[in-house]
Amino acid sequence: MGALVDNTESSAGEVLRGKIVDEAGEPVIGASVIVPGTDTRTVTDVNGNFSLNKVHNGVKIEVSYIGYAKLISSLKDNQTLVLKEDNRQLNEVVVVGYGNMRRKDVTSSITTVRSEDLNVGVFQSPAQLLQGKVPGLQITTSSDPNSSPSITLRGASTLREGAAMEPYYVIDGVPGMDISLVAPEDIESIDVLRDASATAIYGSKAANGVILITTKRGKAGKTQVSYSGYVAFDRVAKNLDMMGADEYRSYVQDNGLSIDPTDDLGYNTDWQKEVQRTGISHNHNVAISGGAGKTSYSVSLNYFSNDGVIKGTDLQRYNGRAYLGTKALNDRLDLSFNINASITEQNDVPDYSDGASVYDAMNYYLPFSPVKNEDGSWFEHSSRTQYYNPVALINENIDYTKSKRIQGTAKAGFEILKGLKYNLMISYENEQVNNNLYFSSNSLLASGMNGRAQRSSVENESKVLETYLNYDKTFKGGHKLGLMAGYSWQEDNDNDGFQLRAYGFYSDDLTYHNLGMANFLDRTVDGLGDYNLSTLRMISFYARANYSYNSKYLFQATVRRDGSSAFGANNRWATFPSVSAAWRLSEEEFIKKLNIFDDLKFRIGYGVSGNSLGFDAFTARQVYGVTGWFTNSNGEEVHTIGATRNANPDLKWERTSMFNVGIDFGFFNNRLTGTIEYYDKRTKDLIYDYPVSTTEYLYNYLTANVGEISNKGIEITINAVPVQTKDFTWSTSLNLSHNKNVVEKLSNREFSVDYIDMADLGGAGQSNCYQQRIMEGHPIGQFYTWEWAGYNDEGVSVYYVHDPETGERTGETTTSPTQSDRACTGSAQPKLTLGWNNTLTYKRFSLTAFFQGTFGNKIMNGTKARLSNIADAGIRNWISSFPEENLATDFNSHFLSDRYLEDGSYFRLSSLSLSYDFGNIGKWINNLKVTATCNNVFTITGYSGLDPEVNLGGLTPGIDNRYTYPRTRTFMLGVNLNF
């Protein structure tokens, strides 16, 4: 086998020959040899030999091969060159809490995703960049431009929703920053701390993992100007197949049903198309960076616009960022200043319960009704309850929100002695959110009010001070010691706002402006808004010690003590320790002699972290509020004040302990690397509101620590370069995760509940009919439904009867099931989640295909049940499958049961991206890269709903019910320029 060469010689050059060997003198087969800036290239043969034609003696060449450091050298004829092993992956810098470490010295479970490996697409949140990239990190996204992704790391571990269930974000060392302040183009890397031995250094905020974001910085040298941008087009990937007018009329006629003639005006309206459009998005990012001497800087401006596929839904965001860093005092003092700012504008459409949702109405509205009457007014059937013209909902209602955020940081680092450095960081963040609603006089949402307006404004701010010492020392004999100790202070002032609701306007012209023109004000709590300034303070002391011997035996211990005003007076302090160790077996002689492993490391760790996210200052305190009205002696109506929350001086932290064991490995010059992890995560003292007697307490619920949840799982990551030739390379990365979630405990001697009912999806005849239940021995997302038993002789759906005492089936069936007839029918928790990335490069072309999927989970298709109600004949539309799957005699056809519980497994080609790198163009353009991307290319699933990627976070995962924003398919064209 010979090298691939051009055998045509020319007087313009000569033939030079060479050989490539490794440090042991063995030939390197298939190494790439190129002459930079030309098309001259070849690969080495089985003996490591190569030859280049039309080159001159002393020509500069570049030699590369997977697992070895790139070599740039001049070449003389018959020269032998040595490639050295590439330890960049092991020596890459990993961001940890309050510092950095080399990858090979890490003892914890940390996943790093570089900017070039992040997802590509139209994303409202930087968190979406990680979907499918990190094992155990479950991210569920929506195509709604105004939505936020649901994020869960290693399973749900709390009974509180919102921020309490999501990871904690740290951006450039600033804890708790809002991630919307960072444009995706400004991100250099993201480090995900997955186990408690890594997260415990963040103590009370780290129970759900920590995500560390590092942004790009300027470097000394020539000023760099870069532009990146894209334009994207969104189309609805799948709509529900609803009955058309003729199909509806035929079914009604064939089954002896009737239609109100005031509805059937001879039209055939596709209501989904009436409210949908092609969504156009574009993004532009300009960055300037550089530096001179000891000073570096970077400035960027980002503009993002996303028009949703539902008319009236859109988002615009402006992000600005500036960084300045310098050194002084003989390089012993580091100073840096950073400011981030964003302005976000959002328009949304009504999405309320009881049918007042565009996403619901576009399916249920009758197809033979027109959009407008002949006189130009909206066609409405105002006498029919929960029935709204979806086009009118969009056009007669305004929901506009404007958010402003600004965050500034100042950092200083001073080297007191060699290896001993003092660090100080001060940060301030302010957020202002203004929401504006107007329901016009033509809107059914303001029926009889002659227009209704609502305006609210709220301000949140956060102040953070971090100060800590780092000491790093390498001793003779391969001993390395790292010590860190610090102090943190934080104050959050949230929910400082007010609201006004008014109605009765003479004209719709001013919309929500000038509320003084209204005739009536809403003086209720709902009208004035529930805004209560909440001031939380936290102080912390923390420390970490790292020790390694020849990077072979590694040890780490951390401890953090947090105090927070959020908890009861008796339990405001808690301690969060961790310990971990690693053994790099690949450094042992007996492993080296095997000549198999390039890297082999065994890790083990245990740590405890807490959950203080999602609290306000009143959680543990006695609170009084408005409970009603009464008429005083002057005949005036005034508020009554009563208890709305009980005090609990013993309320304390939720504590999550995690045991983690992992193996890191590398083979074939690290062309095949990977990690296998096992974890056991247990959360105690879960916080929940428990019913109590009002003879003992002022209010009938008390927030208390009672429950326990466990999560156990296995995670596997494989990275490989199966093919590398002269012009073609295929690299692939696969991660698999399995998590078992179990609610271990809900009650104790003082507070007791047998279960907690969840997921009341409503529906005719099904009030307070919950579809999930949180109970001991089962996961969050346990479906607890009626069991469908088919039809009786009258063609009506019947359900199995269960004994109220034992819960077992009695053998009977009924058309009128009760609460006691519900049973465990499946779980929303996936048995397996997958992310698989493939990158194929050919010369300057690069093709990336990213797949993702979940397997073994159930979805409650409440949307299908809602659209399958025989009682809606002549009142609302049906789904097209209704005649085939239901009998016209079945007045129970819409009852939620395991009949509508479907397999939610799916496998999706989430992103397909093709790029071409033009390289340098002329004297001005250093690099030009063009990329074409398609998101949501195809999905393999048996689920009959709109999309199987439903929310898997929160306390009610796996629910698809009526109010679903359509999933889109996106086509995007992007460009990157560097000057």
Side-chain angles (χ1 to χ4, degrees):
M1 176 179 176
L4 301 175
V5 296
D6 183 355
N7 292 315
T8 304
E9 298 191 22
S10 167
S11 59
E14 57 185 302
V15 178
L16 295 184
R17 296 170 177 82
K19 185 175 184 178
I20 306 298
V21 298
D22 62 18
E23 293 174 288
E26 297 295 323
V28 179
I29 305 169
S32 172
V33 183
I34 67 172
V35 179
T38 73
D39 291 329
T40 303
R41 61 183 61 212
T42 187
V43 294
T44 56
D45 61 18
V46 292
N47 297 312
N49 296 319
F50 68 93
S51 62
L52 295 171
N53 289 347
K54 302 180 182 180
V55 292
H56 295 285
N57 203 35
V59 66
K60 182 179 289 186
I61 64 171
E62 182 179 292
V63 185
S64 60
Y65 189 70
I66 293 295
Y68 294 89
K70 183 180 293 184
L71 173 66
I72 298 177
S73 173
S74 58
L75 177 67
K76 297 180 180 179
D77 194 27
N78 292 317
Q79 184 178 3
T80 298
L81 300 174
V82 179
L83 281 185
K84 296 183 179 181
E85 288 190 11
D86 184 5
N87 291 317
R88 283 180 301 174
Q89 183 176 357
L90 297 177
N91 288 320
E92 72 172 349
V93 176
V94 178
V95 181
V96 296
Y98 308 104
N100 303 303
M101 296 181 68
R102 292 184 302 174
R103 169 69 63 184
K104 65 180 181 180
D105 293 333
V106 170
T107 60
S108 306
S109 180
I110 302 175
T111 297
T112 300
V113 184
R114 300 294 175 188
S115 58
E116 60 270 21
D117 298 321
L118 295 170
N119 290 328
V120 178
V122 180
F123 299 135
Q124 299 83 36
S125 168
Q128 295 169 274
L129 300 169
L130 291 173
Q131 186 177 27
K133 298 293 186 180
V134 180
L137 186 66
Q138 196 169 76
I139 300 177
T140 307
T141 63
S142 167
S143 297
D144 184 352
N146 296 313
S147 69
S148 297
S150 166
I151 307 172
T152 305
L153 180 62
R154 289 187 168 181
S157 57
T158 184
L159 297 179
R160 298 176 297 118
E161 295 190 281
M165 273 201 169
E166 297 193 351
Y168 187 56
Y169 294 96
V170 179
I171 302 177
D172 291 330
V174 182
M177 268 185 64
D178 191 297
I179 57 174
S180 67
L181 280 165
V182 179
E185 291 79 6
D186 287 334
I187 294 176
E188 181 69 35
S189 65
I190 302 178
D191 294 86
V192 182
L193 312 186
R194 293 156 52 208
D195 73 338
S197 66
T199 64
I201 195 65
Y202 287 103
S204 61
K205 300 174 182 177
N208 300 311
V210 179
I211 295 179
L212 307 175
I213 297 176
T214 302
T215 60
K216 296 176 181 178
R217 293 286 186 264
K219 298 178 181 179
K222 180 182 176 182
T223 298
Q224 299 289 322
V225 179
S226 64
Y227 166 80
S228 62
Y230 64 75
V231 60
F233 302 91
D234 275 6
R235 297 296 302 271
V236 174
K238 179 184 177 181
N239 270 314
L240 291 179
D241 188 8
M242 302 302 298
M243 280 192 181
D246 294 337
E247 185 182 3
Y248 196 100
R249 293 188 191 101
S250 297
Y251 182 83
V252 168
Q253 183 178 359
D254 293 344
N255 291 280
L257 304 171
S258 62
I259 298 175
D260 188 334
T262 62
D263 284 307
D264 192 352
L265 300 183
Y267 289 82
N268 187 13
T269 305
D270 187 333
W271 290 99
Q272 293 173 332
K273 289 186 178 179
E274 291 292 336
V275 303
Q276 294 173 2
R277 64 186 176 188
T278 296
I280 301 177
S281 303
H282 53 103
N283 183 82
H284 309 276
N285 194 88
V286 177
I288 303 172
S289 64
K294 300 175 182 180
T295 301
S296 62
Y297 64 89
S298 63
V299 181
S300 67
L301 181 65
N302 178 269
Y303 172 69
F304 171 62
S305 175
N306 183 6
D307 290 343
V309 292
I310 298 296
K311 296 174 182 177
T313 61
D314 61 68
L315 177 146
Q316 290 188 84
R317 178 174 290 147
Y318 306 83
N319 280 82
R321 175 175 163 270
Y323 166 83
L324 177 66
T326 189
K327 292 179 179 292
L329 302 180
N330 294 323
D331 294 343
R332 296 179 65 178
L333 177 64
D334 293 327
L335 294 173
S336 66
F337 305 91
N338 197 81
I339 188 166
N340 299 280
S342 74
I343 299 176
T344 303
E345 297 179 86
Q346 298 168 276
N347 285 292
D348 215 337
V349 297
D351 183 22
Y352 307 117
S353 59
D354 298 329
S357 166
V358 172
Y359 315 127
D360 192 14
M362 70 180 186
N363 294 315
Y364 71 60
Y365 218 76
L366 290 169
F368 35 68
S369 298
V371 175
K372 287 187 174 183
N373 298 309
E374 292 184 359
D375 63 2
S377 62
W378 300 108
F379 178 87
E380 296 280 17
H381 207 304
S382 57
S383 61
R384 184 172 296 153
T385 60
Q386 300 186 22
Y387 194 69
Y388 300 84
N389 182 327
V391 183
L393 282 175
I394 293 174
N395 287 277
E396 297 297 338
N397 302 286
I398 298 173
D399 185 346
Y400 170 71
T401 301
K402 187 171 186 177
S403 305
K404 299 178 182 178
R405 293 183 176 88
I406 187 167
Q407 186 270 339
T409 305
K411 293 183 180 180
F414 181 72
E415 188 179 32
I416 302 171
L417 301 171
K418 186 176 181 180
L420 178 63
K421 189 172 185 179
Y422 170 73
N423 301 276
L424 173 67
M425 186 275 292
I426 301 174
S427 172
Y428 175 82
E429 181 176 346
N430 181 275
E431 175 190 35
Q432 295 181 346
V433 181
N434 296 294
N435 178 249
N436 308 276
L437 297 174
Y438 187 73
F439 304 154
S440 80
S441 58
N442 296 318
S443 171
L444 287 186
L445 298 179
S447 180
M449 296 184 184
N450 210 31
R452 189 182 81 174
Q454 177 179 299
R455 303 196 73 173
S456 63
S457 178
V458 64
E459 181 179 13
N460 305 307
E461 69 172 8
S462 178
K463 306 169 188 175
V464 180
L465 180 146
E466 298 270 6
T467 177
Y468 56 96
L469 287 164
N470 275 327
Y471 177 72
D472 293 288
K473 178 72 173 178
T474 300
F475 300 92
K476 292 182 179 180
H479 301 279
K480 185 176 181 181
L481 178 66
L483 300 174
M484 185 274 295
Y487 166 83
S488 174
W489 175 91
Q490 181 170 349
E491 178 181 281
D492 295 334
N493 293 284
D494 295 328
N495 208 37
D496 183 12
F498 56 88
Q499 178 177 295
L500 181 64
R501 182 185 295 170
Y503 58 96
F505 293 88
Y506 293 111
S507 169
D508 292 322
D509 292 343
L510 296 176
T511 65
Y512 51 77
H513 299 287
N514 198 349
L515 298 191
M517 297 292 290
N519 287 297
F520 306 100
L521 298 179
D522 187 345
R523 295 171 56 213
T524 66
V525 174
D526 289 339
L528 297 176
D530 188 20
Y531 292 101
N532 303 293
L533 173 61
S534 171
T535 299
L536 284 178
R537 295 185 180 91
M538 177 180 290
I539 59 175
S540 307
F541 303 91
Y542 47 86
R544 177 176 59 223
N546 296 88
Y547 168 78
S548 72
Y549 174 66
N550 283 336
S551 292
K552 183 190 300 185
Y553 308 115
L554 312 165
F555 173 83
Q556 175 179 285
T558 72
V559 64
R560 181 169 180 133
R561 183 155 177 81
D562 284 339
S564 171
S565 62
F567 297 98
N570 300 331
N571 286 300
R572 286 187 172 167
W573 287 89
T575 303
F576 304 99
S578 79
V579 61
S580 58
W583 179 18
R584 292 195 65 221
L585 289 92
S586 54
E587 294 298 307
E588 299 287 359
E589 287 300 322
F590 68 92
I591 295 295
K592 290 181 178 180
K593 291 179 180 179
L594 297 175
N595 202 27
I596 297 175
F597 298 98
D598 297 300
D599 181 41
L600 183 63
K601 180 165 70 173
F602 174 78
R603 295 180 282 104
I604 188 169
Y606 176 83
V608 179
S609 53
N611 192 344
S612 65
L613 301 178
F615 284 102
D616 58 37
F618 312 107
T619 303
R621 299 184 181 185
Q622 186 78 58
V623 177
Y624 293 88
V626 174
T627 57
W629 297 87
F630 79 98
T631 303
N632 65 16
S633 58
N634 295 324
E636 299 170 326
E637 283 196 347
V638 296
H639 285 302
T640 57
I641 303 297
T644 58
R645 176 177 288 277
N646 288 315
N648 184 359
D650 295 321
L651 188 70
K652 57 185 178 181
W653 315 82
E654 294 178 338
R655 295 175 64 87
T656 296
S657 60
M658 189 187 304
F659 169 77
N660 192 94
V661 59
I663 297 177
D664 305 327
F665 56 84
F667 302 97
F668 313 119
N669 289 323
N670 283 321
R671 286 183 63 171
L672 174 63
T673 62
T675 298
I676 301 174
E677 307 257 0
Y678 169 79
Y679 62 87
D680 187 341
K681 174 182 173 184
R682 297 177 179 270
T683 305
K684 297 183 178 181
D685 300 322
L686 293 180
I687 296 173
Y688 194 73
D689 291 339
Y690 284 82
V692 292
S693 172
T694 53
T695 60
E696 185 178 356
Y697 295 92
L698 293 176
Y699 189 66
N700 57 352
Y701 280 90
L702 179 71
T703 304
N705 302 94
V706 177
E708 297 180 13
I709 291 179
S710 69
N711 288 276
K712 298 178 182 179
I714 297 175
E715 299 165 350
I716 300 174
T717 302
I718 302 292
N719 303 296
V721 184
V723 178
Q724 186 189 41
T725 65
K726 170 186 174 184
D727 295 319
F728 178 76
T729 301
W730 169 33
S731 60
T732 184
S733 176
L734 173 70
N735 70 76
L736 301 167
S737 306
H738 165 74
N739 181 74
K740 183 179 181 181
N741 174 270
V742 178
V743 178
E744 303 286 354
K745 179 182 174 184
L746 278 179
S747 302
N748 60 20
R749 293 181 180 179
E750 187 175 0
F751 304 103
S752 178
V753 292
D754 294 328
Y755 53 82
I756 302 171
D757 274 329
M758 305 296 295
D760 182 5
L761 307 189
Q766 299 176 90
S767 297
N768 297 318
C769 185
Y770 299 89
Q771 298 305 305
Q772 291 183 346
R773 179 172 283 186
I774 297 175
M775 51 186 176
E776 294 180 1
H778 297 269
I780 290 176
Q782 173 65 58
F783 287 104
Y784 200 75
T785 71
W786 294 326
E787 295 179 295
W788 190 60
Y791 298 100
N792 62 12
D793 294 339
E794 287 75 37
V796 178
S797 286
V798 293
Y799 305 86
Y800 289 109
V801 175
H802 289 256
D803 187 292
E805 299 295 329
T806 66
E808 300 296 327
R809 291 182 185 176
T810 64
E812 303 171 285
T813 59
T814 180
T815 59
S816 303
T818 64
Q819 294 284 2
S820 64
D821 293 320
R822 292 191 292 154
C824 294
T825 50
S827 171
Q829 298 288 344
K831 292 182 172 62
L832 180 70
T833 60
L834 169 149
W836 180 29
N837 192 74
N838 293 272
T839 300
L840 299 94
T841 58
Y842 177 73
K843 294 186 177 179
R844 294 180 182 268
F845 286 96
S846 180
L847 178 68
T848 299
F850 174 60
F851 299 85
Q852 67 172 102
T854 65
F855 307 92
N857 56 301
K858 295 289 186 180
I859 297 175
M860 172 56 72
N861 195 342
T863 302
K864 186 175 184 179
R866 165 71 173 176
L867 299 172
S868 300
N869 187 359
I870 189 64
D872 280 343
I875 300 176
R876 292 176 180 83
N877 201 2
W878 291 305
I879 198 166
S880 288
S881 60
F882 172 71
E884 300 173 1
E885 299 178 358
N886 299 274
L887 301 178
T889 55
D890 186 11
F891 54 76
N892 284 344
S893 58
H894 64 296
F895 274 21
L896 292 161
S897 67
D898 60 351
R899 180 186 184 188
Y900 292 105
L901 203 58
E902 301 185 36
D903 183 5
S905 303
Y906 73 92
F907 180 71
R908 167 176 287 157
L909 177 51
S910 182
S911 176
L912 185 65
S913 186
L914 177 65
S915 64
Y916 184 79
D917 192 341
F918 289 89
N920 297 345
I921 299 178
K923 297 181 179 180
W924 306 105
I925 300 177
N926 295 331
N927 180 263
L928 170 62
K929 184 177 182 181
V930 177
T931 305
T933 302
C934 179
N935 294 121
N936 189 19
V937 182
F938 67 78
T939 303
I940 301 172
T941 184
Y943 181 61
S944 65
L946 276 180
D947 191 82
E949 189 181 333
V950 300
N951 190 355
L952 293 178
L955 296 178
T956 56
I959 298 294
D960 179 357
N961 187 46
R962 300 169 57 181
Y963 312 107
T964 303
Y965 199 97
R967 177 72 62 175
T968 64
R969 180 167 293 115
T970 305
F971 300 92
M972 186 172 78
L973 182 64
V975 62
N976 293 78
L977 278 167
N978 291 310
F979 301 95

